[in-house]
Amino acid sequence: MLKKVLLNLYFWPLFSLVTLAAVLLSPVLLAGNLIFTRQPTARMVRKCIRLYGWILVRVIPFMAPVTVEDRSGGIEEPVIFVPNHCSSVDPYLFGMLPLDNAFVTSWPFRIPLYNFFMHLSGYINSNKGWKHVLERGSELLGSGCSLIIWPEGHRSRDGKLRRFKNGAFQLALSTGRPVVPVCVIGSRQMLPPGSRFLTPARIRMILLPAITPSGRSNSPEDIRSLKMRVKNALAEELAGNTRATRRQNCPSSSSCSCLHETGRTPGNEAAC
């Protein structure tokens, strides 16, 4: 309990300070870009947002910084990242990836301050409908910008994968860009849906091997096939992590082996 109190006393003031500094510096950065570097404004803003996320998840939580495991085998940009989603922390994690990326999302566009920067960065508001997502998504991928799409649409309340929507997979089939499943572990333990206070936890972001789409974007069967390949990859990784966590938390005994095999919870060993 003491660690949780200290973490929140430490993190939230620094979060506010970093956010305020980012807002105050943004006019200077925009002006500097226009005068010196002259790169597209949206790309420059996305770069700054990634830096903002990296500071929040890598530098500030110094006791347990986020780690990234790249098992993708090499990413040929641009790609479509498809992560599981369990916490408000999850979007910030993508500041760890050193490549241009943009979100396809909805609710952050309703947050006043975030709304301004979301539009400035060229992020895609999924509330504008599929036609908008397809057109803007194709444009961004064509410009070399990878996309991040939450296939479940919302955060999972219990940590289990929910029903996947078709958009990410239909877009992949339409553009021919690979899909990279991203398994996020630990964010729900740190900040589950409905909670306003952080709990100490270790967060891992695992980039799984890219899946190349094949088929037609107007074929329900091809969309479903690609969707299930991605969902199965995420489900296997999450299940493997659950088994590993049980082994770490369970003492080595015959009753514990039974827990591993049956999935029974500790305290119910007699039933094995």
Side-chain angles (χ1 to χ4, degrees), residues 48-256:
C48 292
I49 291 176
R50 291 203 311 278
L51 176 61
Y52 170 68
W54 181 81
I55 291 172
L56 289 177
V57 304
R58 181 68 185 178
V59 178
I60 291 182
F62 63 92
M63 289 181 290
V66 174
T67 59
V68 178
E69 297 177 27
D70 187 356
R71 302 181 196 164
S72 67
I75 293 176
E76 294 184 12
E77 299 177 56
V79 299
I80 300 175
F81 293 105
V82 175
N84 59 313
H85 192 16
C86 296
S87 170
S88 299
V89 171
D90 295 341
Y92 299 97
L93 305 179
F94 285 86
M96 296 288 290
L97 301 184
L99 48 83
D100 188 22
N101 59 65
F103 286 93
V104 179
T105 186
S106 57
W107 67 266
F109 281 94
R110 296 195 291 268
I111 301 175
L113 183 61
Y114 279 30
N115 177 295
F116 173 75
F117 289 102
M118 299 280 282
H119 281 103
L120 205 59
S121 63
Y123 287 178
I124 301 173
N125 186 347
S126 60
N127 280 335
K128 291 187 176 181
W130 168 241
K131 183 180 178 183
H132 176 72
V133 171
L134 178 61
E135 290 178 352
R136 285 289 299 135
S138 299
E139 287 176 9
L140 284 169
L141 289 168
S143 71
C145 176
S146 296
L147 297 179
I148 301 156
I149 303 179
W150 314 103
E152 300 162 278
H154 301 282
R155 291 167 295 170
S156 171
R157 294 280 168 177
D158 57 8
K160 298 178 181 176
L161 290 177
R162 319 311 293 182
R163 184 177 70 87
F164 277 22
K165 298 181 179 181
N166 290 338
F169 313 101
Q170 195 168 355
L171 183 59
L173 287 165
S174 176
T175 60
R177 300 312 308 170
V179 177
V180 176
V182 182
C183 188
V184 178
I185 295 170
S187 63
R188 181 173 174 273
Q189 286 69 32
M190 177 167 281
L191 190 65
S195 176
R196 295 183 179 180
F197 298 103
L198 299 173
T199 298
R202 291 186 179 277
I203 299 178
R204 296 159 58 209
M205 187 164 66
I206 304 170
L207 307 184
L208 298 175
I211 297 175
T212 302
S214 63
R216 294 175 292 122
S217 62
N218 60 354
S219 166
E221 185 56 36
D222 291 340
I223 295 170
R224 182 180 180 282
S225 174
L226 178 59
K227 180 169 61 176
M228 293 312 299
R229 288 176 67 190
V230 174
K231 188 171 186 178
N232 289 339
L234 286 171
E236 287 178 12
E237 187 62 36
L238 289 169
N241 180 74
T242 299
R243 288 192 295 270
T245 302
R246 282 179 180 157
R247 283 194 292 271
Q248 289 175 357
N249 295 337
C250 194
S252 55
S253 65
S254 58
S255 62
C256 199

